[in-house]
């Protein structure tokens, strides 16, 4: 292995929160197959908290482990707390990543943030527009 | 746990007889071959015997064999040494787009040194068209290097035809035979090349010994300057045990080649046929027929190579993905891209490379563990879910 | 027949514990360290352990160690790689006149590539004057390379003082420590150098593994292009067994250095003193005190080295003459000539190099067989008869 | 060894005809310590034949073996025959020499030839001059 920690191996072999959320409150997709990794994060928000987080990832062992770890770290946190999950924190929680895999932790944090942003931008539209009610109904 | 080594393209196990031949030189017979005393004599004779064995393997003369530390060194030596020795004649070099990085990056270094470089393309099977080589030749072309077979997809290149063209034009032709020498018949006269690289750890010899064969009369500059070892072409105390091992491995390879090839190709053929039958969306890479016997290479769509390697490893199976072993992970193999595959598909490359120790049981094990691994990673893959949704008629 | 190996400067025997450490990697643990599976893991861990052991030997950091195939490769890598990496800053390089050919000829290759080269002289003991290094420095000097100790005459060089000067001038300093690392204490911080070469077969490790230590932040161009092994600084499948052996030898050398040095120096001192006492017209070469412990080097007047080696060999004694092992025979050692000896005297050079397996009996054997050998060759020598006639008052 | 043949080793270990000739008829000295080898050949001529040949050599194993072989080959030959001893013949008689030692066989043949020339040039002087008698007496 590219010298992965036991924690990375655990999250790779037993990834938490794999999957999609039906009618998610936010979706964040980063990366692409050309650069080798692609992650999609789905979030469900309840009372400003991440009630559920799921992901799908195409990529190396580190990409999968990072996705799993990010999802676990984010779940239950408030949106503001979750937005403060940095690549460094993710790598630390995973007990380190090989140098050439640092970008995976970047991607993971980015994907989560994108999902949060997605949720927030939708919220803004909701607050400002009359589709308010229609959306609420659809999202429940 | 069942352990199945199917990464013989990265390095082979060392045959017991090869190890046995090496042991004295890690013990009592530790002398330096350049030295003028009996320890030196014993070491020198061992090196010269190995030179004979390697020369025999490829049909060369003993004075034409230069021992190196690896296939990589042989290739660096060839590309840089042959080009530099002829730079007064011209500064243009031609290599194929699918060369091993030790050739490709050496050629790029030549570019930094003022040479011009032409990359010859390949078709979808990874085959170089000799006519493309012909078209690439210029008045100032001094060196062409086309590999004998590609290590990732196994495709054999039409070296004979290319050699006819380079000979016509009086251009030196090197071939990287690291993936073929000791595995399939390699005869320098038959091929018609001027220089040829090989490495012992590809045919059950030890790491640490390779060779470059350079035809008599072809000039080459040393890569390693210093003493006058190897006829002044490669300085440094010879790695006697590894060279002895290389020689022994060459002898055994020559004697046993047909049997080995038959055994290996039989296993490989089953995998090449069965894997795509058991798993959907699998692309066989490389040439359908003209490929080295041990190579079964695929791209598994929608998923990425490293994660497959890791799950296969958890099932005891050792393989490699594209050029994972020599490139920064995550970059898709330059070989597959040159063959026209998309990055998306190239990321899912997987190379099973068979060796003489493999058995039918190994193939069956792979055929058993692969489908659930692929299924599991596809379930995780956003690309796969997109594909499924798209084929169901959209989101 | 008594067999006495006194050519440890050419290569040392391999310690049984070193061989033992290597064996698994010639057997089951044959993996390629770059590969992503358990065979790769085992090999990679072995290489990283060795890197730690080598780093410990010289007080460096693990990421600063690059494994190579030999002292020669380390030196070629250092001289060419450090100079090329800095050529935008300048193209002037300084080395001493007594460097090993792997440094000297690398520097000459740089000259062909448009660099300018200054050779710093030595005194009659083979010592470089740091002030000469200072005077050689120019605005465009990018690299100085002075060996830590000379392998032929054993003289230790004032690297610390030289490092002070190169640091002042912001010039990169490399030292060839092939003759010292693993034999005497070598600490890169204490020496103050920027890069340092070593080789395992000089301290009871195997042939085929050397290392270059390059200080963090110092840029170097690869000599071997290709894969990303060794952090992209040295491509090619690692020679795992040899690297493991180098690591083990480094560990043992560090642990046992004082005892080894005392034993070796005691034997050496007796020969240094006794040989000139028993044979007339013998010149001790090298520095009287500042020399590596195993080196006893002489010039025997009126006779030539190779014929002495051959007669010594017939008495079971293995030694070397000047740079016989790495130079075309018959050329007098460039080291001795640089020290001001005449060609005539330099031709009679003889180097006894002691190792941990030598005993007092070995010295006594040499002291016994040497006088008749010298006598015999002198009786054959026209130079000697001329000398005798001249000292008798001429023809 | 630098791959010396058994014959070379024999002539090196047991060189024939080492020494000087008192009052030689011809002397040939070639080489010098700078280039690593130096040979002096002494000849004694009787009835146009090499009655005796001796040498002293400073040099490598090959230089000594070549000297010995040349002396042996020359002894008993007529001057003309001896002058036809080529480096190639010497090397062949020695069952080969390593490439980098070829020059030793050149030196050996040269030294012998020089000694023969020396003898001949002295003879000319003798024939042409009146020191004829004095020289003859000295040389016997
Ligand atoms: C075709 C080819 N060339 C060159 C090499 C380089 O060999 P090494 O990494 O042993 O130096 C390889 C290694 O697998 C290869 O397959
Ligand atoms: C000082 C020094 N540098 C470099 C070398 C070159 O080492 P190698 O011939 O093992 O490559 C030697 C070899 O003896 C040496 O003594």
């Amino acid at each position: 292995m590219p010298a992965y920690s036991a924690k990375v191996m655990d999250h790779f072999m037993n990834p938490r929160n794999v999957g999609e959320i039906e009618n998610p409150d936010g979706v964040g997709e980063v990366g692409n197959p050309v650069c080798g990794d692609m992650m999609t994060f789905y979030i469900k928000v309840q009372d400003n908290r991440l009630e559920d987080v799921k992901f799908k990832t195409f990529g190396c062992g580190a990409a999968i482990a990072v996705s799993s770890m990010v999802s676990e770290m984010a779940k239950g946190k408030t949106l503001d707390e979750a937005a403060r999950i940095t690549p460094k924190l993710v790598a630390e929680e995973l007990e380190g990543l090989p140098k050439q895999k640092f970008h995976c932790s970047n991607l993971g944090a980015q994907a989560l943030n994108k999902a949060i942003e997605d949720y927030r931008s939708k919220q803004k539209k909701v607050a400002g527009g009359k589709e308010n009610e229609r959306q609420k109904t659809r999202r429940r | 746990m069942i352990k199945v080594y199917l990464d013989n393209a990265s390095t082979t196990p060392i045959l017991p007889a090869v190890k046995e031949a090496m042991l004295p030189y890690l013990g009592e017979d530790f002398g330096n071959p350049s030295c003028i005393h009996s320890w030196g004599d014993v070491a020198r004779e061992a090196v010269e015997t190995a030179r004979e064995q390697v020369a025999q393997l490829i049909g060369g003369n003993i004075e034409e064999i230069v021992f190196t530390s690896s296939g990589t060194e042989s290739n660096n030596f060839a590309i840089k040494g042959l080009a530099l020795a002829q730079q007064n004649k011209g500064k243009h070099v031609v290599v194929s787009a699918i060369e091993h990085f030790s050739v490709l990056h050496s050629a790029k270094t030549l570019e930094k040194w003022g040479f011009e470089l032409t990359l010859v393309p390949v078709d979808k099977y990874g085959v170089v068209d000799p006519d493309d080589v012909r078209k690439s030749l210029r008045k100032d072309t001094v060196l062409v290097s086309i590999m004998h077979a590609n290590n990732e997809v196994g495709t054999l290149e039409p070296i004979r035809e290319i050699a006819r063209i380079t000979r016509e034009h009086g251009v030196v032709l090197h071939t990287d035979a690291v993936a073929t020498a000791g595995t399939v018949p390699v005869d320098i006269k038959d091929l018609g090349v001027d220089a040829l690289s090989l490495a012992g750890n590809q045919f059950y010899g030890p790491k640490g010994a390779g060779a470059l064969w350079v035809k008599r009369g072809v000039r080459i500059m040393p890569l390693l300057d210093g003493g006058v070892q190897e006829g002044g072409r490669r300085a440094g105390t010879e790695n006697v045990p590894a060279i002895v091992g290389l020689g022994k491995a060459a002898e055994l390879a020559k004697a046993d080649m047909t049997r080995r090839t038959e055994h290996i190709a039989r296993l490989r053929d089953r995998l090449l046929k069965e894997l795509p039958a058991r798993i959907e969306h699998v692309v066989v890479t490389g040439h359908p027929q003209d490929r080295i016997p041990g190579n079964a290479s695929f791209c598994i769509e929608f998923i990425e190579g490293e994660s497959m390697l890791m799950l296969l490893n958890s099932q005891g199976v050792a393989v490699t993905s594209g050029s994972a072993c020599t490139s920064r992970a995550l970059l898709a193999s330059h070989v597959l891209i040159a063959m026209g595959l998309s990055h998306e598909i190239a990321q899912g490359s997987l190379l099973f490379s068979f060796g003489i120790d493999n058995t039918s049981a190994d193939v069956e094990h792979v055929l058993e563990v692969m489908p659930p691994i692929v299924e599991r990673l596809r379930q995780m893959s956003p690309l796969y879910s997109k594909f499924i949704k798209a084929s169901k008629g959209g989101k």
Side-chain angles (χ1 to χ4, degrees), chain B residues 9-10 70-73 75 100 102 147 149 151 176 178-179 199 201-202:
Chain B
S10 290
S70 62
T72 291
E73 187 187 326
N75 283 339
H100 187 265
S102 52
M147 67 203 315
N151 47 308
D176 171 2
V178 168
N201 70 319
Q202 295 281 322

Side-chain angles (χ1 to χ4, degrees), chain B residues 228-293:
Chain B
V228 297
Q229 291 96 345
E230 300 295 302
R233 288 169 297 180
R234 201 268 187 183
T237 301
E238 298 88 340
N239 186 351
V240 181
I243 289 171
V244 166
L246 167 61
K248 188 71 188 172
E251 183 189 276
L252 296 172
K254 194 177 157 74
D256 206 22
M257 197 168 284
T258 316
R259 196 194 58 82
R260 288 183 185 178
T261 298
E262 281 168 8
H263 172 72
I264 288 171
R266 195 174 47 77
L267 300 177
R268 189 274 314 269
D269 287 344
R270 173 151 169 83
L271 188 66
L272 263 190
K273 199 170 136 261
E274 262 320 292
L275 199 74
R278 300 207 188 178
I279 304 173
E280 276 190 311
H281 310 300
V282 165
V283 181
V284 174
T285 55
H287 196 278
Q289 286 85 43
D290 297 341
R291 62 195 301 154
I292 48 177

Side-chain angles (χ1 to χ4, degrees), chain A residues 16-17 19-20 23 27-28 32 37 47 74 95 111-112 121 127 139:
Chain A
R16 286 57 148 174
N17 309 307
E20 297 181 25
N23 304 320
V27 177
N32 62 62
D37 291 302
D47 301 334
E95 291 165 5
L112 175 67
S121 73
R139 264 167 45 219

Side-chain angles (χ1 to χ4, degrees), chain B residues 35-38 40-41 44:
Chain B
C35 292
I36 303 180
H37 48 60
S38 47
D41 292 345
R44 186 167 47 257

Side-chain angles (χ1 to χ4, degrees), chain B residues 88-106:
Chain B
N88 55 331
K89 281 203 265 170
K91 291 191 141 198
H92 178 236
V93 166
V94 176
V95 313
S96 88
I98 60 162
E99 295 299 311
H100 187 265
F101 283 143
S102 52
V103 168
L104 216 46
H105 293 173
S106 290

Side-chain angles (χ1 to χ4, degrees), chain B residues 11-312:
Chain B
T11 197
T12 52
I14 301 175
L15 277 172
V18 169
K19 180 179 172 184
E20 219 49 57
M22 294 170 68
L23 289 181
Y25 304 95
L26 294 168
E28 274 194 12
D29 300 333
F30 62 84
N32 180 330
S34 299
C35 292
I36 303 180
H37 48 60
S38 47
W39 281 269
D41 292 345
V42 170
R44 186 167 47 257
E45 275 156 32
V47 168
E48 294 316 312
T49 301
R51 201 183 307 280
E52 178 74 40
Q53 289 162 325
V54 171
Q56 293 262 340
L57 178 69
I58 58 169
N61 295 312
I62 47 171
E63 334 80 66
E64 297 171 329
I65 303 288
V66 183
F67 288 121
T68 68
S69 66
S70 62
T72 291
E73 187 187 326
S74 296
N75 283 339
N76 273 260
F77 180 27
I79 301 301
K80 296 171 186 172
L82 292 168
L84 287 178
Q86 302 179 89
Q87 56 180 323
N88 55 331
K89 281 203 265 170
K91 291 191 141 198
H92 178 236
V93 166
V94 176
V95 313
S96 88
I98 60 162
E99 295 299 311
H100 187 265
F101 283 143
S102 52
V103 168
L104 216 46
H105 293 173
S106 290
K108 298 241 158 100
T109 291
L110 286 178
E111 268 190 311
K112 283 193 214 144
W113 294 349
F115 283 76
E116 282 178 73
L117 174 61
T118 299
L119 292 186
V120 179
V122 293
D123 69 11
K124 64 175 174 173
Y125 297 128
V127 181
V128 170
D129 182 344
D131 226 50
D132 284 335
V133 173
R134 185 195 305 277
K135 284 180 209 145
S136 74
L137 295 180
R138 314 189 319 203
K139 277 238 167 64
D140 60 344
T141 308
V142 290
L143 177 65
V144 172
S145 180
I146 309 287
M147 67 203 315
H148 190 202
N150 181 272
N151 47 308
E152 288 178 42
V153 297
T155 303
L156 284 155
E157 301 299 338
I159 300 298
R160 269 177 221 79
E161 290 68 31
I162 294 167
R164 222 167 286 139
I165 294 165
T166 54
R167 254 199 320 274
E168 247 171 52
H169 289 76
V171 174
V172 170
L173 175 63
H174 165 258
T175 192
D176 171 2
V178 168
T180 53
T183 298
V184 297
V186 168
D187 183 296
I188 44 99
K189 288 191 198 79
D190 174 44
L191 290 176
V193 294
D194 301 298
L196 180 144
S197 302
L198 60 85
N201 70 319
Q202 295 281 322
F203 50 93
Y204 316 101
K207 292 170 196 62
L212 182 69
W213 168 83
V214 188
K215 191 158 99 185
R216 199 179 309 180
V218 173
R219 286 197 55 218
I220 186 159
M221 298 293 287
L223 183 69
L224 296 186
D225 292 309
V228 297
Q229 291 96 345
E230 300 295 302
R233 288 169 297 180
R234 201 268 187 183
T237 301
E238 298 88 340
N239 186 351
V240 181
I243 289 171
V244 166
L246 167 61
K248 188 71 188 172
E251 183 189 276
L252 296 172
K254 194 177 157 74
D256 206 22
M257 197 168 284
T258 316
R259 196 194 58 82
R260 288 183 185 178
T261 298
E262 281 168 8
H263 172 72
I264 288 171
R266 195 174 47 77
L267 300 177
R268 189 274 314 269
D269 287 344
R270 173 151 169 83
L271 188 66
L272 263 190
K273 199 170 136 261
E274 262 320 292
L275 199 74
R278 300 207 188 178
I279 304 173
E280 276 190 311
H281 310 300
V282 165
V283 181
V284 174
T285 55
H287 196 278
Q289 286 85 43
D290 297 341
R291 62 195 301 154
I292 48 177
N295 177 292
S297 56
F298 307 95
C299 285
I300 317 289
E301 292 188 60
F302 312 118
I303 56 182
E304 187 270 351
E306 190 197 281
S307 49
M308 275 190 279
L309 300 194
M310 288 172 68
L311 290 175
L312 278 166

